[in-house]
Amino acid sequence: MIRVLLADDQPLVRAGLSGLLTAEEDLEVVGAAADGQEALTLARELHPDIACLDIRMPGLDGIEATRALTTQEPSIPVLILTTFDLDDYVFGALEAGAAGFLLKDAEPEVIIESVHHVAAGQGTLDQSLTRRILTEFVQRRSLQPVTARGAEGLLTARELEILGLLAQGMSNEEIARELVVEITTVKSHVARMLPKLGVRSRLQAVVWAYQNRIVAVPDGS
């Protein structure tokens, strides 16, 4: 059973998401918060497997809540559910350590699948946002490498290959098919890769790849 914490300042949105998720046999909404501070309190009390946060909330917003969660409760991945597909709030949450982004108007099955992916440590990005978010994020910020050592000194050849496929938005299953290996093998490589890069999620690893020019900056098309 995947235990989910929701945070959104709109009661109807909270109720709708809660109903959608609890209809799944393996998902349980253990808490619903109206703002970021309440989400932090509930996270400490309930220890959910995933936190689904809105960005724009009164008081402590989703960015600060994400930053606090990834620092204080690093075992709880954060999935951002937002109505805003491109603004500084999204980029702020990315820098704060969010493991995934999804628009609230995504199809129900996509939301459910994304919760599963993020809870399993796979991370997710709304495919319609991937190029635009990463292009804008990288272009707005310096492309200076975030580490003094080159990626070749940090990662094995296979890990570099998998990092490039992650940057294309591929899932573990898709990478396994591409490389003709077992899914467990891909998961093992990713698990070893993240601490080497000093990141917590696949999404952060992709940002690292762009910042270090391991993969080309997308053209936004």
Side-chain angles (χ1 to χ4, degrees):
M1 183 69 71
I2 297 172
R3 304 171 73 251
V4 183
L5 170 64
L6 298 176
D8 196 293
D9 61 336
Q10 299 182 41
L12 286 177
V13 173
R14 291 199 305 272
L17 286 172
S18 180
L20 172 67
L21 298 178
T22 54
E24 297 296 305
E25 292 184 355
D26 63 343
L27 298 179
E28 177 187 9
V29 176
V30 295
D35 57 50
Q37 187 57 59
E38 186 180 6
L40 286 179
T41 300
L42 290 176
R44 297 186 189 109
E45 293 176 354
L46 302 172
H47 304 290
D49 298 308
I50 177 175
C52 299
L53 307 182
D54 185 23
I55 289 184
R56 295 186 176 181
M57 294 184 289
L60 193 71
D61 64 21
I63 297 174
E64 292 307 316
T66 297
R67 183 173 289 112
L69 273 175
T70 55
T71 300
Q72 301 170 18
E73 304 286 343
S75 64
I76 304 175
V78 175
L79 172 62
I80 295 293
L81 293 171
T82 179
T83 55
F84 304 95
D85 61 352
L86 270 183
D87 62 15
D88 284 329
Y89 286 88
V90 172
F91 304 126
L94 178 60
E95 291 180 318
F101 286 93
L102 202 62
L103 291 179
K104 290 180 182 178
D105 61 2
E107 293 296 325
E109 60 268 21
V110 174
I111 294 177
I112 292 168
E113 180 182 37
S114 297
V115 169
H116 282 101
H117 282 177
V118 171
Q122 296 185 31
T124 191
L125 264 178
D126 186 305
Q127 292 304 304
S128 67
L129 303 183
T130 303
R131 284 185 176 274
R132 288 193 296 157
I133 284 179
L134 291 174
T135 299
E136 189 79 8
F137 180 84
V138 174
Q139 290 178 351
R140 286 188 180 198
R141 288 147 177 83
S142 170
L143 280 173
Q144 292 299 315
V146 295
T147 178
R149 291 185 292 170
E152 293 78 5
L154 292 172
L155 304 179
T156 66
R158 180 60 98 182
E159 288 168 347
L160 281 170
E161 189 174 16
I162 290 175
L163 181 59
L165 296 176
L166 286 177
Q168 294 178 32
M170 288 191 181
S171 65
N172 285 343
E173 293 81 1
E174 292 168 333
I175 293 173
R177 287 196 297 270
E178 176 73 17
L179 300 180
V180 195
V181 297
E182 296 294 328
I183 294 176
T184 53
T185 300
V186 175
K187 291 181 178 179
S188 296
H189 281 300
V190 173
R192 287 194 295 268
M193 181 195 311
L194 298 185
K196 289 182 180 180
L197 303 182
V199 299
R200 293 190 179 97
S201 70
R202 295 156 59 100
L203 181 54
Q204 292 292 315
V206 171
V207 172
W208 187 96
Y210 284 119
Q211 288 178 317
N212 284 272
R213 305 182 188 182
I214 303 306
V215 295
V217 177
D219 59 13
S221 60

